[in-house]
Amino acid sequence: MPQKKRSKDLNFLEKIYLPEIFNGLMLTLKNMFRPNVTMQYPEQKFIPPASYRGRPVLVKENDDTERCVACGLCSRVCPALAIEVQPDETALEKERFPKLFEINMLRCIFCGFCEEVCPEEAIVMSKDYELVYTNREDAIYGKDKLLVPVEELSDRLEFLRNFK
Amino acid sequence: MDIWSIVIETSIKIFVVVNVLLLTVSYSVYFERKISAWAQNRIGPNRVGWLGLLQPFADVFKLLLKEDIVPDKSNKAIHALAPFLALFVAFSTYAVIPIGPEMTLFGYTFSLVVADVGIGILYVLAMTSLGVYAITFAGWSSGSKYSLLGGIRSAAQMISYEVSMGFSIAGVIMFSESLNMNVIVQSQAGWMWNAILQPIGFITFVVAAFAETNRMPFDLPEAEPELVGGYHTEYSSMKFAGFFLAEYANMAIASALIVTLYLGGWQNPLVDIFGITGITATLMQIGAFLVKVLALLFFFIWVRWSLPRFRYDQLMDLGWKVMFPLSLINIVWVAALIMIFNL
């Protein structure tokens, strides 16, 4: 009985390997002349697109006040329980402001729920991905580190208005 | 010529050859990393020195400072001997490979080969066969199953491929009618390269050389996924560096051998075409030899980063069922050429 031809049976040219080896070599040779994808990180930094979710920050208006009204929704929605907000009264029109606003960056999972739930567009995800601390206390970011001027966040705010 | 001038001349040659070989080896490690990076669209080492050119020295320095760990269950003497045997074999092979023709400098004529012996090729074959011992010793004396498997694999592989290697060389010897490396090179004058006259022998020899040096399609003795690291799993510090250097030195020697036997050695067609003579011609011929060896080294590295590894049974199949008959066919082909064209 003649043996059935199987798909893995090779023909003569494939059996002597050489043409396929040549093809493989040409592929790697072609790749040697393609541009590199490597980024020389500390010297050359990755600038993320507006859709990037870096560390969450609070928006600081031009008159040096925060947008946040300390409603506590972000703290409520945070799945990692990373946010703590303590509200206080203010003489401004918005009546409330966060006396204390802390994000524990060891807990934060960069899900962006806080930004999604915020009614005031006061907390947004920034492009900052360089988070370094040498002890646990430093990992808890207070208002001093969280407040970022509104101009620096215009990319993200525009993105949110278009796609949120 | 009295005995002292021979001793001094040979010492100088040995010094030059060993240093050139060491430099070639360290920079082939560097280019191995660079070319692998380019093939994968990366940059490769570029931090130590200009373009990372000092990387090999940094690597060696690091290995020198590492702790030398010897396993409890190992055979200490043989464990220590193996890397030195590997290095010894790798470096001593280079003694008979001619870098250029006879050269006259300041009225003193000397040949550009450390030992111009009549049995050049036999010496090379004997030395490369000794290389198996280094790897088998390393695998056996480590007292580790992975090392042992690597050592046994390498012994089986090298013996299988030595057969086709020897028969391919037989074709070369039939043309040159001598075992002397210089005569073999001179027999390939002009474009009468053995690679052109006996392409089958050239291919079988190159494949066997890849298998002998444990390079990529045949690097089963150190197959990382199956054998952790193969015969050098239990080696560290400078002993590991010894194996590492020996591997690349073997690569350089395999390239030099292929060039000498099949690609015309130091023959430079330009010298004949333009009728250049004297010191310029000699330098051009040495340059031709170096360029050919470097091109082959690039080829070795290029193949490593292109081809996957053979399975063990495929390796044995290829060695005994394909390479061996092909090298025999090559001998018949060469005999026919000699008969018909009276070469």
Side-chain angles (χ1 to χ4, degrees):
Chain A
M1 200 178 123
Q3 220 172 9
K4 218 179 109 191
K5 192 166 162 48
R6 295 169 302 174
S7 61
K8 72 174 186 183
D9 284 340
L10 307 173
N11 64 28
F12 177 72
L13 268 184
E14 285 163 345
K15 256 185 198 154
I16 61 172
Y17 293 126
L18 291 177
E20 293 305 314
I21 287 175
F22 180 76
N23 285 346
L25 288 174
M26 280 304 128
L27 183 77
T28 40
L29 187 68
K30 205 168 70 190
N31 267 290
M32 281 179 208
F33 297 102
R34 287 207 184 132
N36 296 321
V37 293
T38 316
M39 203 169 268
Q40 297 284 306
Y41 166 60
E43 291 103 46
Q44 186 190 354
K45 286 196 172 145
F46 167 59
I47 299 166
S51 58
Y52 187 84
R53 292 204 304 264
R55 87 181 164 99
V57 294
L58 290 174
V59 179
K60 181 160 83 176
E61 296 286 13
N62 291 330
D63 56 356
D64 267 6
T65 57
E66 57 275 80
R67 255 187 206 178
C68 180
V69 292
C71 64
L73 276 174
C74 48
S75 169
R76 186 76 185 81
V77 81
C78 183
L81 307 179
I83 305 178
E84 187 187 351
V85 194
Q86 283 177 15
D88 204 352
E89 281 182 36
T90 169
L92 291 172
E93 192 191 352
K94 64 173 185 169
E95 292 182 357
R96 282 159 64 94
F97 83 102
K99 186 172 69 184
L100 175 89
F101 200 109
E102 278 181 354
I103 300 180
N104 188 337
M105 292 313 295
L106 288 173
R107 288 187 168 190
C108 179
I109 56 170
F110 303 91
C111 61
F113 282 6
C114 46
E115 170 192 60
E116 217 167 295
V117 81
C118 185
E120 302 285 327
E121 277 185 344
I123 184 164
V124 295
M125 309 301 276
S126 66
K127 292 180 178 181
D128 187 6
Y129 52 85
E130 290 173 317
L131 303 165
V132 184
Y133 19 79
T134 51
N135 58 51
R136 286 172 179 232
E137 279 72 43
D138 286 356
I140 299 169
Y141 281 21
K143 264 165 70 173
D144 54 326
K145 281 183 186 162
L146 288 175
L147 283 169
V148 171
V150 65
E151 295 90 25
E152 288 175 29
L153 300 166
S154 53
D155 258 16
R156 182 69 184 179
L157 289 168
E158 199 175 327
F159 170 80
L160 289 175
R161 269 164 216 155
N162 290 335
F163 299 107
K164 190 173 159 185
Chain B
M1 205 159 26
D2 65 311
I3 184 82
W4 284 111
S5 65
I6 293 175
V7 167
I8 292 167
E9 186 193 314
T10 314
S11 311
I12 292 171
K13 280 179 190 168
I14 291 172
F15 181 78
V16 170
V17 164
V18 166
N19 277 295
V20 169
L21 197 58
L22 272 176
L23 262 184
T24 322
V25 164
S26 45
Y27 278 97
S28 58
V29 177
Y30 168 77
F31 276 103
E32 173 101 60
R33 294 174 65 179
K34 269 287 187 195
I35 290 168
S36 79
W38 292 333
Q40 299 164 356
N41 302 342
R42 293 184 287 113
I43 293 173
N46 67 344
R47 296 279 149 170
V48 191
W50 183 68
L51 290 178
L53 277 172
L54 293 177
Q55 187 70 43
F57 300 102
D59 288 348
V60 169
F61 195 60
K62 184 205 82 172
L63 281 165
L64 273 172
L65 293 177
K66 286 242 170 182
E67 186 193 351
D68 185 14
I69 301 164
V70 182
D72 272 350
K73 293 253 172 76
S74 68
N75 185 331
K76 306 260 177 338
I78 296 179
H79 191 265
L81 173 74
F84 293 104
L85 190 62
L87 270 179
F88 165 74
V89 168
F91 281 88
S92 54
T93 314
Y94 213 85
V96 293
I97 293 173
I99 301 165
E102 287 213 324
M103 191 174 172
T104 308
L105 209 61
F106 310 119
Y108 183 74
T109 308
F110 54 95
S111 61
L112 285 170
V113 46
V114 176
D116 197 3
V117 288
I119 52 156
I121 286 192
L122 280 186
Y123 173 81
V124 169
L125 279 180
M127 276 307 185
T128 47
S129 311
L130 273 182
V132 186
Y133 283 103
I135 291 171
T136 320
F137 280 175
W140 175 71
S141 67
S142 291
S144 146
K145 51 179 172 276
Y146 294 116
S147 303
L148 183 63
L149 281 171
I152 289 172
R153 273 188 181 191
S154 122
Q157 172 182 331
M158 283 189 164
I159 290 166
S160 313
Y161 279 84
E162 215 137 69
V163 179
S164 55
M165 195 176 192
F167 277 109
S168 323
I169 291 179
V172 176
I173 299 169
M174 282 158 81
F175 266 131
S176 66
E177 293 170 355
S178 167
L179 295 172
N180 185 313
M181 297 293 237
N182 251 324
V183 178
I184 289 170
V185 171
Q186 274 149 16
S187 76
Q188 306 177 53
W191 280 105
M192 295 281 277
W193 291 3
N194 281 326
I196 299 164
L197 292 176
Q198 33 181 323
I200 301 174
F202 177 60
I203 289 168
T204 49
F205 187 83
V206 169
V207 173
F210 270 88
E212 285 280 312
T213 50
N214 296 325
R215 287 295 293 181
M216 190 46 174
F218 308 106
D219 71 339
L220 286 128
E222 45 188 298
E224 290 93 354
E226 313 148 39
L227 296 180
V228 191
Y231 58 88
H232 52 52
T233 310
E234 302 297 344
Y235 279 89
S236 50
S237 182
M238 228 22 226
K239 286 184 191 162
F240 173 75
F243 278 118
F244 204 65
L245 286 180
E247 192 195 323
Y248 284 88
N250 276 328
M251 208 167 96
I253 278 148
S255 311
L257 258 186
I258 294 170
V259 168
T260 317
L261 297 180
Y262 287 95
L263 297 176
W266 40 260
Q267 304 278 1
N268 188 342
L270 289 177
V271 173
D272 299 334
I273 292 169
F274 298 110
I276 303 164
T277 50
I279 195 91
T280 345
T282 313
L283 287 178
M284 276 177 77
Q285 279 161 335
I286 295 172
F289 178 79
L290 293 178
V291 165
K292 286 173 192 172
V293 168
L294 291 182
L296 265 170
L297 276 174
F298 172 76
F299 181 71
F300 265 80
I301 296 169
W302 181 19
V303 165
R304 173 169 179 189
W305 296 100
S306 306
L307 302 183
R309 184 180 294 129
F310 274 98
R311 212 170 56 209
Y312 192 59
D313 59 315
Q314 292 172 335
L315 175 95
M316 285 295 158
D317 264 12
L318 188 73
W320 289 105
K321 292 190 194 161
V322 182
M323 286 320 198
F324 182 47
L326 273 181
S327 53
L328 287 180
I329 290 171
N330 181 56
I331 291 183
V332 176
W333 162 259
V334 172
L337 275 187
I338 293 171
M339 284 286 285
I340 296 166
F341 297 105
N342 234 341
L343 286 168

